[in-house]
Amino acid sequence: MKKNTIAKLLTTALCTGLIAGMTTGCGSASSASGENGQVIVYNWGEYIDPDTITMFEEETGIKVVYDEFETNEIMYPKVETGASEYDVICPSDYMISKMIESDLLSELNFDNMPNAKANIGEQYWEQSKGFDPENKYSVPYCWGTVGILYNKTMVEEPVDSWSILWDEKYADSILMQDSVRDAFMVALKLNGNSMNTLDETELAAARDLLIKQKPLVQAYVIDQVRDKMIGGEAALGVIYSGEAIFTQRENPDLEYVIPKEGTNVWIDSWVIPKNAPNKENAEKFIDFMCRGDVALKNFEYITYSTPNDAARDLIEDEDLKNSKIAFPDLSQYSGLETYTYLGEDGDSLYNDMWKEVKSN
């Protein structure tokens, strides 16, 4: 579930033509729909190595028109209304489920994407069945976990539970994700509940727990968590595993853990909308991104875990190849779940309770 870390850098590159062949302005994907020789991609910010775009264009002769979104919730209505036509999109697990339910996605022809079947690890296809039961609509691109990043010079005791985020000793030194699902996940897991629960009693208890925590929280953040933790501005922060890898490179005092109560194991995948004007080119693009050397470049660039076994085999840095953050042995953890789509009523229930937390 990529969180738009340095999106402005890539946006600037895209809009100034630094990525070869992108002659259509950012945000103008719909104006180019229906033309031949191109593929229109809608992806998270800073979620692809620009060099792989250039490689694809040079090898195929297909021009890439690239657009970005910050959240699944921003992406969805643009696709649902058909205001913009895209060929390839990279939503998260629960949003893919919603898009399937809304009949917005095209079934994939894997005969045209041999790299997808050959290189994506079987465990990731199995995980994908949680939101794409027959693996008909999506191809795994990146995956990861959500955990706690802490500064070893500021936290002395062992960190193995979400409960430390309620320790008054760290008042004004705790960073929480400014995300309804991620914030509630932390509280629900601490209470021993599913992060996909629709039980109002369980949700109310999680809401109350978050309200209790609020005076201790320095800030509710998304992108800023990594910069604040690198700079030593906070002792503890809820963070995505890919971000944790980057922060450790910048500050070796930082450590990442998956709490014992469990967490979210998320996956982002390539999909093709039903109204894609260039479906054949979309399949070529997805297949190219599933090539081992290409997937490796993207992994090294964005630091989010790759489900591509061929890419992992090519990693030369042994520390990275065996990183417990990038490639944890999930069998040693309990309480791991993938977000599911909760339905409109479920989304409203979570959002209403999140508003109570933020306004209390």
Side-chain angles (χ1 to χ4, degrees), residues 1 3 94 146-148 162-163 165-166 174-191 193-197 202-214 217 219-222 237-240 262-264 339 350-351 353-358:
M1 190 174 294
K3 297 304 180 215
Y94 71 95
V146 180
I148 298 173
W162 292 116
S163 62
L165 301 177
W166 276 260
I174 296 169
L175 302 173
M176 285 289 287
Q177 284 290 319
D178 191 9
S179 160
V180 55
R181 294 298 297 272
D182 291 325
F184 268 85
M185 180 276 291
V186 173
L188 287 165
K189 285 298 181 184
L190 184 55
N191 283 340
N193 303 134
S194 168
M195 65 187 194
N196 295 308
T197 184
E202 293 177 350
L203 284 170
R207 174 203 61 200
D208 294 345
L209 197 58
L210 291 170
I211 291 173
K212 180 181 179 182
Q213 179 204 36
K214 193 173 179 182
V217 176
Y220 295 92
V221 292
I222 298 180
V238 179
I239 199 169
Y240 301 91
T263 190
N264 171 30
Y339 285 131
Y350 273 76
N351 288 332
M353 290 200 178
W354 181 233
K355 288 177 184 177
E356 293 182 52
V357 174
K358 298 298 285 288

Side-chain angles (χ1 to χ4, degrees), residues 116-133:
K117 282 299 185 183
N119 295 339
I120 303 299
E122 186 58 34
Q123 62 178 314
Y124 306 105
W125 291 114
E126 285 301 312
Q127 182 183 340
S128 296
K129 289 181 180 178
F131 53 89
D132 182 3

Side-chain angles (χ1 to χ4, degrees), residues 49-64:
D49 184 339
D51 286 347
T52 64
I53 299 287
T54 303
M55 289 168 58
F56 175 78
E57 292 183 322
E58 291 176 348
E59 290 188 27
T60 66
I62 299 169
K63 299 299 181 183
V64 178

Side-chain angles (χ1 to χ4, degrees), residues 81-98:
T81 61
S84 298
E85 292 182 334
Y86 296 101
D87 297 308
V88 181
I89 308 175
C90 189
S92 301
D93 33 49
Y94 71 95
M95 188 55 68
I96 293 174
S97 178
K98 181 176 182 178

Side-chain angles (χ1 to χ4, degrees), residues 223-287:
D223 303 346
Q224 303 96 320
V225 62
R226 81 185 216 170
D227 296 327
K228 283 179 172 288
M229 292 299 296
I230 290 171
E233 297 178 43
L236 299 148
V238 179
I239 199 169
Y240 301 91
S241 54
E243 299 292 327
I245 295 172
F246 177 86
T247 61
Q248 284 190 322
R249 290 176 178 173
E250 301 296 313
N251 185 342
D253 291 330
L254 300 176
E255 192 67 53
Y256 176 82
V257 296
I258 297 173
K260 61 186 178 183
E261 296 89 357
T263 190
N264 171 30
V265 180
W266 55 266
I267 189 164
D268 293 341
S269 301
W270 298 117
V271 299
I272 299 177
K274 270 201 166 181
N275 66 343
N278 306 291
K279 184 177 179 182
E280 183 177 333
N281 291 347
E283 292 171 341
K284 291 179 180 178
F285 181 86
I286 294 173
D287 190 58

